[in-house]
Amino acid sequence: MLHARRLVLAHFSVAFAAFLAALVLGAWQMYVRSPLSEWVHNPEHYYRSVTAHGTVMAYVLPTLVAMGLGYAITELALKRPLIGLRWAWAGFWLLLIGTAMAAITMGMGKASVLYTFYPPMVGSPFYYLGVVLVVVGSWIWVALMAVNLRAWKKANPGERIPLAMFGNVAGAYLWAWTSVGVAIEVLVLILPASMGLTDTINAGLARVFFSWTLHAIVYFWLIPAYIVFYAFVPRAIGAPLYSDTMGRVAFVLFLVFSMPIGIHHLFADPQVGIGFKFVHAAMTAMVTVPTFLTVFTVVASVELAGRLRGGRGLFGWVRALPWDKPMMLAVACSFVMLGLGGVGGLINMSYQLNETVHNTQWVTGHFHLIFAGAVVLMYFMAAYELWPQLTGCAPLSPRLVKAQIWSWFIGMMVLTLPWHLVGLLGMPRRMAYFDYTSPALQSQASIVTASAIGGFILLASGILLVWILATATRRRSTTVEPFGFSRPLHPQARTPLALNGFGLWVAMMIGLTVVNYAYPIAQLASLEQASVPVIPIGSR
């Protein structure tokens, strides 16, 4: 039983409401950038929309989903009420207040700096304070995850931490550390400039601090999806999890390798030396390892499902899979998008190849396939799986859920594949307007139009998602089955001590961050005349 179901429901409800609003903005952006629309005349409106879309999708949606899912897992996996319920509500309200502050400021046109902040551009201090409140609210969640795990371990000495909770706490620790970078950037560098206390800012140093957060945050986004891969998918399709140990290895590798890789986003920044760019590029290759382990383990679990249903031969198990179940369709679509997006990431991490696609629509296509495609689809599935527990509703309609999954997958492919193509042709991202009557751009008009159509398919899919969840309570169930997680194929297998705790891995995470960031930060902070004039956005 979920004692904290109102808390979890509040997180998911606000997350998907904000998500739908951001989808509307995203579809509008695609429309005004395409040949379907005339020039909007005021590019600031476009960048206002991009800032709001990015802030919600990068900070609000994944943070709320991770927190809500984390609270649910804490009770369902540990089989005990959540410790610190009042603190959890305090964190939620801090996050909600911060989101409202940032949203109002963006709507007034006083913070059109995109979610990456882009110093020396500086917006209203209320936008940054809103983002800080979102982070502070999430830190309360991090503390509660640690407290609840510690209490469970004290009551169950020597027991194996349930895999779902293990991944949950790994994500919390990763977020706690990676968010330090953006917190320092905002509090030490951006806010003083935003409040008029200084007219200059060390933009190079600010970007290095943001790179501390910029790529590791992607793995904070990913971990809830990977929890669904390991702890939800095998159970939903009627199979055991092939390897509990492999899941734990994947989660701790994300802790270790997610942090020291952010400078690969700064290949074009002259302030950062070539040596650290090379080190971060090499370290970036290492984060493919936990993903490959996950794909292998989940596919092996899926094969077990097919063979348990009578599948024979080399590929006969594929036909025997429970394709009628929404989870089976979702994991297949998610892996397709994860694979395509991952290949694009290999291009981005290469110093030489990155020069070809840097700041083009290729980059936009890559991270939308990974996050908005593979990861957000698993957010949907987490909500679908938990909704009966949260609302007491009858099981959701498989037909509607599969329609929503298909529309999201099709829309994402139609949106992002053209982006990759025009990116290779040199189309820059984050531009408010293109003149498609120009001979240089005429050939791209139809490609961009197709991408805009994909954006509207995604909007329709998002509306269907919210409608399915909002109307589910109309069909009340007299009994709700207890929720369970995937069971390992070998439940009696011994878990190595190092994979039943986090001390070693957190120490390695912090150590690698210090090795890979301490010198660039110290060097840029000590440079004389490194600051540049602030460029106010909107009005102070």
Side-chain angles (χ1 to χ4, degrees), residues 135 138 185 187 245 323 365 383:
V135 174
S138 70
E185 180 196 17
L187 295 174
T245 300
W323 293 107

Side-chain angles (χ1 to χ4, degrees), residues 332-334 336-337 340 377 404-415 457-458 461:
C333 292
S334 182
V336 170
M337 293 185 285
L340 291 173
L377 183 54
Q404 195 271 320
I405 294 168
W406 271 121
S407 58
W408 190 259
F409 174 70
I410 293 169
M412 192 57 63
M413 299 298 282
V414 175
L415 175 81
I457 295 173
L458 290 172
S461 181

